[in-house]
Amino acid sequence: MAVLYHHPAPEDITLLPLLRAVADPVRLGIICHLHSLGEANCTTLLRGRPKSSMSHHFQVLREAGILQTRVEGVQHRNTLRLDVLEDRFPGLMTSILRECPTNLSEKG
């Protein structure tokens, strides 16, 4: 049975859940790492953290409208919904991504 993830429609993405999602340092780290990669599977984004807690973080990011996950065989491929978020909240993700370290080994 294939896993299907819910991704909110652009008009259903609201600011408060998005800000709550990026306020967590682990989730901000996922966003930054994914931004530097463009697309990555969940394993690539774990960075030594437990799968169970990371699953929760991925879910929060999906529900906030930040993360798009598609299933490709056994791989779960993740991308940021930057175009959708830019249309919905112009300049917000650009400002958030400025907070990303230039060297991702600096932060989680």
Side-chain angles (χ1 to χ4, degrees):
M1 183 172 159
V3 176
L4 297 176
Y5 292 107
H6 170 74
H7 300 93
E11 62 273 10
D12 294 333
I13 298 172
T14 58
L15 192 56
L16 189 56
L18 191 147
L19 293 175
R20 283 184 182 148
V22 300
D24 182 275
V26 172
R27 290 192 287 266
L28 182 58
I30 293 169
I31 291 166
C32 292
H33 193 191
L34 190 52
H35 184 253
S36 73
L37 298 172
E39 181 180 68
N41 64 27
C42 292
T43 303
T44 301
L45 298 169
L46 290 178
R47 303 188 72 174
R49 294 188 178 94
K51 278 176 133 178
S52 57
S53 67
M54 291 302 283
S55 293
H56 168 72
H57 291 302
F58 293 136
Q59 179 181 354
V60 170
L61 290 169
R62 268 192 303 275
E63 289 174 353
I66 298 169
L67 188 71
Q68 178 80 32
T69 304
R70 67 180 167 80
V71 179
E72 193 174 274
V74 296
Q75 296 285 317
H76 295 212
R77 308 292 299 173
N78 300 285
T79 55
L80 297 175
R81 298 176 72 187
L82 295 177
D83 291 341
V84 169
L85 294 169
E86 181 61 26
D87 288 346
R88 186 80 172 118
F89 305 106
L92 179 64
M93 287 306 292
T94 301
S95 296
I96 290 168
L97 292 170
R98 278 193 207 119
E99 294 302 310
C100 294
T102 54
N103 177 355
L104 285 175
S105 64
E106 293 174 21
K107 292 186 180 176

